[in-house]
Every structure is written in structure tokens, then in C-alpha cells.
Amino acid sequence: MRTTRVARRLAAVTGAALLLLAGTAGTALADGDEQGDAPTEAGTSFRTATAIRPDQDATAEASTGDYLYWAFPVDTGQRATVHATVKLPDAAARHAASTWQVDVYDGLRRRQACRLGTPTRTAAQDAASVSLSCTLRTVRAWSEQWANDPLPGTYYLRLTVTDLKADDLGLPVRAETKVTTTDAGGAQAVDGSLGEPLVPGAGSDDRRPAAATEPEDGWSGGWWSSRWLWTAAGGVLAALAGVGGYALTRGSGRPARVPQGL
């Protein structure tokens, strides 16, 4: 009897250990898959831009002078920041300083202004790397046709060198990019919404390019924002204020000295 109990305990401990090992292995494989999904190349034009997701690290090996393109989705109410770092060639192989720049375009390929960050930076001849960033304006749900407001859809990140000595063209570089987004909240919300996000191929029967990315949970309809909560709270407070005001001003009824016939 005692031997049977010991055997059962050993079996239970062994099973628990196997489950723990299996879970650890599964987590390691999942982490490996996530790392393996990270893009390791960039496009050379808008049509061939490499699709990336927010908070995803992307790398690319290129030559100095190449135009590198990535595409990423930004939804209504989000404020996107693009980060780019260029690992420069060995200082002994370079002949002068170089100036690098990141540009961001929306789904209509309109260049978007940076409200924060350093989109252009000059790297000294002996610099090992150069880092750039650009924070866009908050994406709106709707805008006038003549305006250049950022709208929900696919955005393009372009990285290139803008000032370089001709002798340094073609030297190998390594680019690292990442896009982060934050929710700006209802303070930035506007009325109205687009019929469709600004993505490549929208409104046509053709198959959309690979760069036509979208958020993991889909595009928002553009009607919901935290302003609805503030509006409901304001309505409740107004109703309570009305009831309280009535209770304070209605008095205690007819005075006792006033005859009933009056």
C-alpha cells in the first residue's frame, strides 16, 4: 500500500515537471516565432514598402544612398512616433560627414509634418551611428478635402541620406526602425468619419499590395471617443443640479395664515 502511494506521488511529480518543461519550451518557441516575424528588409519605393506593425522592430541591410521604405497602420485618435537608427560604416572607410533624414507620408502619399522629434541629423565622419525620430500629429477621424490633416490608414516611413560625399556612396549600412503609437484621447476627437481608411488599393477591385496593413483589431469606425463619457456625466450632473435646485426653491407649501379660498 505504501509502495503504491509513493509510486503515485512520483508519477504526479514527474507529470508536473513534464508540463512545466513543455510550457517553457512552448514559450521559447513563441518568442522565437515573434523574433522570426520581424522584417529584415525594406522596400525601395512606395509600392514595395515593407509592412511592419506598431511596436515591432524592423531591420534592413542596405547601401548608403538607397531609399528605404516601410509601411505601418495608424488609426483614429492615435499619435504615431517613428524611430530610426542607422549603423554607419567604419569611420576609416568614410571621407566626410553625412546627413540622414526620415520622412513620413500618409495613404495619399502626402508628406506629414513632424510636431516633435529630430527627423534630420548630421553624423560626423567618426560617428558609429545616427538616430532619428518623428512624432506625427494626432490622426483625425475626418477632415476637409483641402486640408492636410493626418487621417486613418497606411503610413509610409522613408529613410535616406540627403547630404553625402560622392566617394561614400554604396558603403554598407544597417537600418533599424520602430513605430510606436499612443492614444490621444477624446480631447482630440472630431465629428464625422471616413468611408474607408486611406490604404493602397482602397475602393478598387484589385488586390491590395502587401503594404496595405491594418491594426490587429481592425479599423475603428471613428464615432466613439471618451467625449461620450464626459457628455453622459455632464447630463447626469445637470439633472441632479435641476432636482437639487427645485428642492431648494419650491418652499414648504401654503402658509397656514392664508385662507383656503385664496
Side-chain angles (χ1 to χ4, degrees), residues 149-230:
D149 296 322
L151 297 172
T154 297
Y155 282 73
Y156 297 93
L157 163 62
R158 184 179 73 179
L159 172 64
T160 188
V161 61
T162 59
D163 187 11
L164 181 73
K165 193 171 183 179
D167 295 339
D168 292 339
L169 284 173
L171 294 177
V173 294
R174 176 182 173 87
E176 301 175 356
T177 60
K178 184 177 183 179
V179 179
T180 58
T181 58
T182 57
D183 189 357
Q188 299 292 332
V190 298
D191 295 329
S193 61
L194 291 181
E196 286 187 273
L198 301 180
V199 299
S204 67
D205 295 333
D206 299 332
R207 185 177 179 181
R208 295 181 180 180
T213 57
E214 67 177 48
E216 294 182 356
D217 54 353
W219 300 104
S220 65
W223 63 272
W224 168 257
S225 71
S226 59
R227 291 194 304 171
W228 287 95
L229 300 177
W230 289 104

Coordinates of all heavy atoms in Angstrom, one line a residue, residues 149-230:
D149 N -4.7 67.3 -43.0 CA -4.7 66.6 -41.7 C -4.4 65.1 -41.8 O -4.8 64.5 -42.8 CB -6.1 66.8 -41.0 CG -6.4 68.2 -40.7 OD1 -5.4 68.9 -40.3 OD2 -7.5 68.6 -40.9
P150 N -3.7 64.5 -40.8 CA -3.5 63.1 -40.9 C -4.7 62.3 -40.7 O -5.5 62.6 -39.7 CB -2.4 62.8 -39.8 CG -2.6 64.0 -38.8 CD -3.1 65.1 -39.7
L151 N -5.0 61.3 -41.5 CA -6.3 60.5 -41.5 C -5.9 59.1 -41.3 O -4.8 58.6 -41.5 CB -7.0 60.7 -42.7 CG -7.5 62.1 -43.0 CD1 -8.1 62.3 -44.4 CD2 -8.5 62.6 -42.0
P152 N -6.8 58.3 -40.8 CA -6.5 56.8 -40.5 C -6.2 56.1 -41.8 O -6.8 56.3 -42.8 CB -7.8 56.3 -39.9 CG -8.9 57.3 -40.3 CD -8.2 58.6 -40.4
G153 N -5.2 55.2 -41.7 CA -4.8 54.4 -42.9 C -3.4 54.0 -42.8 O -2.8 54.0 -41.7
T154 N -2.8 53.7 -44.0 CA -1.5 53.2 -44.1 C -0.5 54.4 -44.2 O -0.8 55.3 -45.0 CB -1.3 52.3 -45.3 OG1 -2.0 51.1 -45.1 CG2 0.2 51.9 -45.4
Y155 N 0.5 54.4 -43.4 CA 1.5 55.5 -43.5 C 2.9 54.9 -43.9 O 3.2 53.7 -43.7 CB 1.7 56.2 -42.1 CG 0.6 57.1 -41.8 CD1 -0.7 56.7 -41.5 CD2 0.8 58.5 -41.9 CE1 -1.7 57.6 -41.3 CE2 -0.2 59.4 -41.6 CZ -1.5 58.9 -41.3 OH -2.5 59.8 -41.1
Y156 N 3.7 55.7 -44.6 CA 5.0 55.2 -45.1 C 6.1 56.0 -44.4 O 6.1 57.2 -44.3 CB 5.0 55.5 -46.6 CG 4.0 54.8 -47.5 CD1 2.8 55.4 -47.8 CD2 4.3 53.5 -47.9 CE1 1.9 54.7 -48.5 CE2 3.3 52.8 -48.7 CZ 2.1 53.4 -49.0 OH 1.2 52.8 -49.7
L157 N 7.1 55.2 -44.0 CA 8.3 55.8 -43.5 C 9.4 55.6 -44.5 O 9.7 54.5 -45.0 CB 8.7 55.0 -42.2 CG 10.1 55.2 -41.7 CD1 10.4 56.6 -41.3 CD2 10.3 54.2 -40.5
R158 N 10.1 56.7 -44.8 CA 11.2 56.7 -45.8 C 12.4 57.2 -45.1 O 12.4 58.2 -44.4 CB 10.9 57.6 -47.0 CG 12.0 57.5 -48.1 CD 11.6 58.4 -49.3 NE 11.8 59.8 -49.0 CZ 11.6 60.8 -49.9 NH1 11.2 60.4 -51.1 NH2 11.7 62.0 -49.5
L159 N 13.5 56.4 -45.2 CA 14.8 56.7 -44.6 C 15.8 56.8 -45.7 O 15.9 55.9 -46.6 CB 15.2 55.7 -43.6 CG 16.6 55.7 -43.1 CD1 16.8 57.0 -42.2 CD2 16.9 54.5 -42.2
T160 N 16.6 57.9 -45.7 CA 17.6 58.1 -46.8 C 18.7 59.1 -46.3 O 18.4 59.8 -45.3 CB 17.0 58.5 -48.1 OG1 18.0 58.5 -49.1 CG2 16.5 59.9 -48.0
V161 N 19.8 59.1 -47.0 CA 20.8 60.1 -46.7 C 20.6 61.3 -47.7 O 20.3 61.1 -48.9 CB 22.2 59.5 -46.9 CG1 22.4 59.0 -48.3 CG2 23.3 60.5 -46.5
T162 N 20.6 62.5 -47.2 CA 20.3 63.7 -48.0 C 21.6 64.5 -48.4 O 21.6 65.3 -49.3 CB 19.3 64.6 -47.3 OG1 19.9 65.0 -46.1 CG2 18.0 63.9 -47.1
D163 N 22.6 64.3 -47.6 CA 23.9 65.1 -47.9 C 25.1 64.1 -47.7 O 25.3 63.7 -46.6 CB 24.0 66.3 -47.0 CG 25.2 67.2 -47.4 OD1 25.8 66.9 -48.5 OD2 25.5 68.1 -46.6
L164 N 25.8 63.8 -48.8 CA 26.8 62.8 -48.7 C 27.9 63.1 -49.7 O 27.5 63.5 -50.9 CB 26.2 61.4 -48.9 CG 27.2 60.2 -48.8 CD1 27.6 60.0 -47.3 CD2 26.6 59.0 -49.3
K165 N 29.1 62.8 -49.4 CA 30.2 63.0 -50.4 C 30.1 61.8 -51.4 O 29.8 60.7 -51.0 CB 31.5 63.0 -49.7 CG 32.7 63.4 -50.6 CD 33.9 63.6 -49.8 CE 35.0 64.1 -50.7 NZ 36.3 64.4 -50.0
A166 N 30.3 62.1 -52.6 CA 30.1 61.1 -53.7 C 31.0 59.8 -53.4 O 30.6 58.7 -53.8 CB 30.5 61.7 -55.0
D167 N 32.2 60.0 -52.8 CA 33.1 58.9 -52.6 C 32.5 57.9 -51.6 O 32.9 56.7 -51.5 CB 34.4 59.4 -52.1 CG 35.2 60.2 -53.1 OD1 34.8 60.1 -54.3 OD2 36.1 61.0 -52.7
D168 N 31.5 58.3 -50.8 CA 30.9 57.4 -49.8 C 29.7 56.7 -50.2 O 29.1 55.9 -49.5 CB 30.6 58.2 -48.5 CG 31.8 58.7 -47.8 OD1 32.9 58.2 -48.0 OD2 31.7 59.7 -47.0
L169 N 29.2 56.9 -51.4 CA 28.1 56.2 -52.0 C 28.3 54.8 -52.1 O 29.4 54.4 -52.5 CB 27.6 56.8 -53.3 CG 26.9 58.2 -53.3 CD1 26.8 58.7 -54.7 CD2 25.6 58.0 -52.6
G170 N 27.4 53.9 -51.7 CA 27.5 52.5 -51.9 C 28.1 51.8 -50.7 O 28.1 50.5 -50.7
L171 N 28.5 52.5 -49.6 CA 29.1 51.8 -48.5 C 27.9 51.1 -47.7 O 26.8 51.6 -47.7 CB 29.7 52.8 -47.5 CG 31.0 53.5 -48.1 CD1 31.5 54.5 -47.1 CD2 32.1 52.4 -48.4
P172 N 28.2 50.0 -47.1 CA 27.1 49.2 -46.4 C 26.7 49.9 -45.1 O 27.5 50.4 -44.4 CB 27.7 47.9 -46.2 CG 29.2 48.1 -46.1 CD 29.5 49.3 -47.1
V173 N 25.4 49.9 -44.9 CA 24.8 50.4 -43.6 C 23.7 49.4 -43.2 O 23.2 48.6 -43.9 CB 24.2 51.8 -43.8 CG1 25.3 52.8 -44.1 CG2 23.1 51.8 -44.9
R174 N 23.4 49.6 -41.9 CA 22.3 48.8 -41.3 C 21.3 49.7 -40.7 O 21.7 50.5 -39.8 CB 22.9 47.8 -40.2 CG 21.8 47.0 -39.5 CD 22.4 46.1 -38.4 NE 21.4 45.5 -37.6 CZ 20.9 44.3 -37.9 NH1 21.2 43.7 -39.0 NH2 20.0 43.8 -37.1
A175 N 20.1 49.6 -41.1 CA 19.0 50.4 -40.6 C 18.1 49.7 -39.6 O 17.7 48.5 -39.9 CB 18.2 51.0 -41.7
E176 N 17.7 50.3 -38.5 CA 16.8 49.8 -37.5 C 15.7 50.7 -37.3 O 15.9 51.9 -37.1 CB 17.5 49.5 -36.2 CG 18.7 48.5 -36.3 CD 19.4 48.4 -35.0 OE1 19.1 49.1 -34.1 OE2 20.4 47.6 -35.0
T177 N 14.4 50.3 -37.5 CA 13.3 51.2 -37.4 C 12.2 50.6 -36.4 O 12.2 49.3 -36.2 CB 12.6 51.4 -38.7 OG1 12.2 50.2 -39.3 CG2 13.6 52.1 -39.7
K178 N 11.4 51.4 -35.8 CA 10.3 51.0 -35.0 C 9.3 52.1 -34.9 O 9.7 53.3 -34.9 CB 10.9 50.7 -33.5 CG 9.8 50.2 -32.6 CD 10.4 49.8 -31.2 CE 9.4 49.2 -30.3 NZ 10.0 48.8 -29.0
V179 N 8.0 51.8 -34.9 CA 6.9 52.7 -34.8 C 6.2 52.5 -33.5 O 5.8 51.3 -33.2 CB 6.0 52.6 -36.0 CG1 4.9 53.6 -35.9 CG2 6.8 52.9 -37.3
T180 N 6.0 53.5 -32.7 CA 5.2 53.4 -31.5 C 4.0 54.3 -31.6 O 4.0 55.4 -32.3 CB 6.0 53.8 -30.3 OG1 6.5 55.2 -30.4 CG2 7.2 52.9 -30.1
T181 N 2.8 53.9 -31.0 CA 1.6 54.7 -31.1 C 1.1 54.9 -29.7 O 1.2 54.1 -28.8 CB 0.5 54.1 -31.9 OG1 0.3 52.8 -31.4 CG2 1.0 54.0 -33.4
T182 N 0.4 56.1 -29.4 CA -0.2 56.4 -28.2 C -1.6 56.9 -28.5 O -1.9 57.5 -29.5 CB 0.5 57.4 -27.4 OG1 0.7 58.6 -28.1 CG2 1.9 56.9 -26.9
D183 N -2.5 56.7 -27.5 CA -3.9 57.1 -27.7 C -4.0 58.6 -27.2 O -3.7 58.8 -26.0 CB -4.9 56.2 -27.0 CG -6.3 56.5 -27.3 OD1 -6.6 57.5 -28.0 OD2 -7.2 55.8 -26.8
A184 N -4.5 59.5 -28.0 CA -4.5 60.9 -27.6 C -5.8 61.2 -26.8 O -5.8 62.2 -26.2 CB -4.5 61.8 -28.9
G185 N -6.8 60.3 -26.8 CA -8.0 60.6 -26.0 C -9.0 61.4 -26.7 O -8.8 61.9 -27.8
G186 N -10.2 61.6 -26.1 CA -11.3 62.3 -26.7 C -11.1 63.8 -26.9 O -11.8 64.4 -27.6
A187 N -10.1 64.4 -26.2 CA -9.8 65.8 -26.4 C -9.5 66.1 -27.9 O -9.7 67.2 -28.3 CB -8.7 66.2 -25.5
Q188 N -8.9 65.1 -28.6 CA -8.6 65.3 -30.0 C -9.6 64.8 -31.0 O -9.4 64.8 -32.2 CB -7.2 64.6 -30.3 CG -6.1 65.1 -29.4 CD -5.7 66.5 -29.8 OE1 -5.8 67.0 -30.9 NE2 -5.1 67.2 -28.8
A189 N -10.7 64.3 -30.5 CA -11.7 63.7 -31.4 C -12.5 64.8 -32.1 O -12.7 65.9 -31.6 CB -12.7 62.9 -30.5
V190 N -13.0 64.5 -33.3 CA -13.8 65.3 -34.1 C -15.0 64.6 -34.6 O -15.1 63.4 -34.6 CB -13.0 65.9 -35.3 CG1 -11.8 66.7 -34.9 CG2 -12.5 64.8 -36.2
D191 N -16.0 65.3 -35.0 CA -17.2 64.7 -35.6 C -17.0 64.2 -37.0 O -16.1 64.7 -37.7 CB -18.4 65.7 -35.6 CG -18.8 66.1 -34.2 OD1 -18.6 65.2 -33.3 OD2 -19.3 67.2 -34.0
G192 N -17.7 63.2 -37.4 CA -17.6 62.7 -38.8 C -16.6 61.5 -38.8 O -15.8 61.2 -37.9
S193 N -16.6 60.8 -40.0 CA -15.7 59.7 -40.2 C -15.5 59.4 -41.6 O -16.3 59.9 -42.5 CB -16.2 58.4 -39.5 OG -17.5 58.1 -40.1
L194 N -14.4 58.8 -42.0 CA -14.1 58.4 -43.4 C -15.0 57.2 -43.8 O -15.3 56.4 -43.0 CB -12.7 58.1 -43.6 CG -11.7 59.3 -43.5 CD1 -10.3 58.7 -43.7 CD2 -12.0 60.4 -44.4
G195 N -15.3 57.2 -45.1 CA -15.9 56.0 -45.7 C -15.0 54.8 -45.6 O -15.4 53.7 -45.3
E196 N -13.7 55.0 -45.9 CA -12.7 53.9 -45.8 C -11.4 54.5 -45.4 O -11.1 55.7 -45.7 CB -12.5 53.3 -47.2 CG -13.6 52.3 -47.6 CD -13.3 51.6 -48.9 OE1 -13.5 52.1 -49.9 OE2 -12.7 50.5 -48.8
P197 N -10.5 53.8 -44.7 CA -9.2 54.3 -44.4 C -8.4 54.5 -45.7 O -8.6 53.9 -46.7 CB -8.6 53.2 -43.5 CG -9.7 52.4 -43.0 CD -10.8 52.5 -44.1
L198 N -7.4 55.4 -45.5 CA -6.5 55.7 -46.7 C -5.4 54.6 -46.8 O -4.4 54.7 -46.2 CB -5.9 57.1 -46.5 CG -6.9 58.2 -46.4 CD1 -6.1 59.5 -46.3 CD2 -7.8 58.3 -47.6
V199 N -5.7 53.5 -47.5 CA -4.8 52.4 -47.7 C -4.7 52.2 -49.2 O -5.6 52.5 -50.0 CB -5.3 51.1 -47.0 CG1 -5.4 51.4 -45.5 CG2 -6.6 50.7 -47.5
P200 N -3.5 51.6 -49.7 CA -3.3 51.3 -51.1 C -4.4 50.4 -51.6 O -4.7 49.4 -51.0 CB -2.0 50.7 -51.1 CG -1.3 51.1 -49.9 CD -2.4 51.3 -48.9
G201 N -5.0 50.7 -52.7 CA -6.0 49.9 -53.4 C -7.4 50.0 -52.8 O -8.3 49.3 -53.3
A202 N -7.6 50.9 -51.9 CA -9.0 51.0 -51.3 C -9.9 51.5 -52.4 O -9.6 52.4 -53.2 CB -9.0 52.0 -50.1
G203 N -11.1 51.0 -52.4 CA -12.2 51.4 -53.4 C -12.0 50.8 -54.7 O -12.8 51.1 -55.6
S204 N -11.1 49.8 -54.9 CA -11.0 49.2 -56.2 C -11.1 47.7 -56.0 O -11.0 47.1 -54.9 CB -9.6 49.5 -56.8 OG -8.6 48.9 -56.1
D205 N -11.3 47.0 -57.1 CA -11.4 45.5 -57.1 C -10.1 44.8 -57.2 O -10.0 43.6 -57.1 CB -12.3 45.0 -58.3 CG -13.7 45.6 -58.1 OD1 -14.1 45.8 -57.0 OD2 -14.4 45.7 -59.2
D206 N -9.0 45.6 -57.4 CA -7.7 44.9 -57.5 C -7.2 44.5 -56.1 O -7.6 45.0 -55.1 CB -6.6 45.9 -58.1 CG -7.0 46.3 -59.5 OD1 -7.7 45.5 -60.1 OD2 -6.7 47.5 -59.8
R207 N -6.3 43.5 -56.1 CA -5.8 43.1 -54.8 C -4.8 44.1 -54.2 O -4.0 44.7 -54.9 CB -5.0 41.7 -55.0 CG -4.5 41.1 -53.8 CD -3.8 39.8 -54.0 NE -3.3 39.2 -52.8 CZ -2.6 38.1 -52.8 NH1 -2.4 37.4 -53.9 NH2 -2.2 37.6 -51.6
R208 N -5.0 44.3 -53.0 CA -4.2 45.4 -52.3 C -2.7 44.9 -52.2 O -2.5 43.7 -52.0 CB -4.7 45.7 -51.0 CG -6.1 46.4 -51.0 CD -6.6 46.7 -49.6 NE -7.9 47.4 -49.7 CZ -8.6 47.8 -48.6 NH1 -8.1 47.6 -47.4 NH2 -9.8 48.3 -48.8
P209 N -1.8 45.8 -52.3 CA -0.4 45.5 -52.1 C -0.1 45.0 -50.7 O -0.9 45.2 -49.8 CB 0.4 46.8 -52.4 CG -0.6 47.7 -53.1 CD -2.0 47.2 -52.6
A210 N 1.1 44.4 -50.5 CA 1.4 43.9 -49.2 C 1.5 45.0 -48.1 O 1.4 44.8 -46.9 CB 2.7 43.1 -49.3
A211 N 1.8 46.2 -48.6 CA 1.9 47.3 -47.7 C 0.6 47.8 -47.1 O 0.6 48.7 -46.3 CB 2.6 48.5 -48.3
A212 N -0.5 47.3 -47.6 CA -1.8 47.7 -47.1 C -2.1 47.1 -45.7 O -2.9 46.2 -45.6 CB -2.9 47.3 -48.1
T213 N -1.4 47.5 -44.7 CA -1.5 46.9 -43.4 C -2.7 47.5 -42.7 O -3.3 48.6 -43.1 CB -0.3 47.2 -42.6 OG1 -0.1 48.7 -42.5 CG2 0.9 46.6 -43.2
E214 N -3.2 46.9 -41.6 CA -4.2 47.4 -40.8 C -4.0 47.0 -39.3 O -3.3 46.0 -39.1 CB -5.6 47.0 -41.3 CG -5.9 45.5 -41.1 CD -7.3 45.1 -41.6 OE1 -7.7 45.6 -42.7 OE2 -8.0 44.4 -40.8
P215 N -4.6 47.7 -38.4 CA -4.4 47.3 -37.0 C -4.9 45.8 -36.7 O -5.7 45.3 -37.4 CB -5.2 48.3 -36.2 CG -5.4 49.5 -37.1 CD -5.4 48.9 -38.5
E216 N -4.3 45.2 -35.7 CA -4.7 43.8 -35.4 C -6.1 43.7 -35.0 O -6.7 42.7 -35.3 CB -3.8 43.3 -34.2 CG -2.3 43.2 -34.6 CD -1.5 42.7 -33.4 OE1 -2.1 42.5 -32.3 OE2 -0.3 42.5 -33.6
D217 N -6.8 44.7 -34.4 CA -8.2 44.6 -34.0 C -9.1 45.3 -35.0 O -10.2 45.6 -34.7 CB -8.4 45.2 -32.6 CG -7.8 46.6 -32.5 OD1 -7.2 47.1 -33.4 OD2 -8.1 47.3 -31.5
G218 N -8.5 45.6 -36.2 CA -9.3 46.3 -37.3 C -9.4 47.8 -37.1 O -9.0 48.3 -36.1
W219 N -9.9 48.4 -38.1 CA -10.1 49.9 -38.1 C -11.3 50.3 -37.3 O -12.3 49.7 -37.3 CB -10.2 50.5 -39.5 CG -9.1 50.2 -40.4 CD1 -9.0 49.2 -41.4 CD2 -7.8 50.8 -40.4 NE1 -7.8 49.3 -42.0 CE2 -7.0 50.2 -41.5 CE3 -7.2 51.8 -39.6 CZ2 -5.7 50.6 -41.7 CZ3 -5.9 52.2 -39.9 CH2 -5.2 51.6 -40.9
S220 N -11.1 51.4 -36.5 CA -12.3 51.9 -35.7 C -13.2 52.6 -36.6 O -12.8 53.1 -37.7 CB -11.8 52.8 -34.6 OG -11.2 53.9 -35.2
G221 N -14.5 52.7 -36.2 CA -15.5 53.4 -37.0 C -15.4 54.9 -37.0 O -15.9 55.6 -37.8
G222 N -14.6 55.4 -36.0 CA -14.5 56.9 -35.9 C -15.5 57.6 -35.1 O -15.4 58.8 -34.9
W223 N -16.6 56.9 -34.6 CA -17.6 57.6 -33.9 C -17.4 57.6 -32.4 O -17.9 58.5 -31.7 CB -19.0 57.0 -34.2 CG -19.1 55.5 -33.8 CD1 -18.7 54.4 -34.4 CD2 -19.5 55.1 -32.5 NE1 -18.9 53.3 -33.7 CE2 -19.4 53.7 -32.5 CE3 -20.0 55.7 -31.3 CZ2 -19.8 52.9 -31.4 CZ3 -20.4 54.9 -30.3 CH2 -20.3 53.5 -30.3
W224 N -16.7 56.6 -31.9 CA -16.5 56.5 -30.4 C -15.3 57.3 -29.9 O -14.3 57.2 -30.5 CB -16.4 55.0 -30.0 CG -16.0 54.9 -28.6 CD1 -14.7 54.6 -28.1 CD2 -16.8 55.1 -27.4 NE1 -14.7 54.6 -26.8 CE2 -15.9 54.9 -26.3 CE3 -18.1 55.5 -27.2 CZ2 -16.4 55.0 -25.0 CZ3 -18.6 55.6 -25.9 CH2 -17.7 55.4 -24.8
S225 N -15.5 58.0 -28.8 CA -14.4 58.6 -28.1 C -14.8 58.8 -26.7 O -16.0 58.6 -26.3 CB -14.0 59.9 -28.8 OG -15.0 60.9 -28.5
S226 N -13.8 59.2 -25.8 CA -14.1 59.4 -24.4 C -15.0 60.6 -24.2 O -15.5 60.8 -23.1 CB -12.8 59.6 -23.6 OG -12.1 60.7 -24.1
R227 N -15.2 61.4 -25.3 CA -16.2 62.5 -25.1 C -17.6 62.1 -24.8 O -18.3 62.8 -24.2 CB -16.2 63.4 -26.4 CG -14.9 64.1 -26.7 CD -15.1 65.2 -27.7 NE -15.6 64.6 -28.9 CZ -16.0 65.4 -30.0 NH1 -15.9 66.7 -29.9 NH2 -16.5 64.8 -31.1
W228 N -17.9 60.9 -25.3 CA -19.3 60.3 -24.9 C -19.4 60.2 -23.4 O -20.5 60.4 -22.9 CB -19.5 59.0 -25.7 CG -19.7 59.2 -27.1 CD1 -18.8 59.1 -28.1 CD2 -21.0 59.5 -27.8 NE1 -19.4 59.3 -29.3 CE2 -20.7 59.5 -29.2 CE3 -22.3 59.7 -27.3 CZ2 -21.7 59.8 -30.1 CZ3 -23.3 59.9 -28.2 CH2 -23.0 60.0 -29.6
L229 N -18.4 59.7 -22.8 CA -18.4 59.5 -21.3 C -18.6 60.9 -20.6 O -19.4 61.0 -19.7 CB -17.2 58.8 -20.8 CG -16.9 57.4 -21.4 CD1 -15.6 56.9 -20.9 CD2 -18.1 56.5 -21.0
W230 N -17.8 61.9 -21.1 CA -18.0 63.2 -20.5 C -19.3 63.8 -20.7 O -19.9 64.5 -19.9 CB -16.9 64.1 -21.0 CG -15.5 63.8 -20.5 CD1 -14.5 63.2 -21.2 CD2 -15.0 64.1 -19.2 NE1 -13.4 63.0 -20.4 CE2 -13.7 63.6 -19.2 CE3 -15.5 64.7 -18.1 CZ2 -12.9 63.6 -18.1 CZ3 -14.7 64.8 -17.0 CH2 -13.4 64.2 -17.0

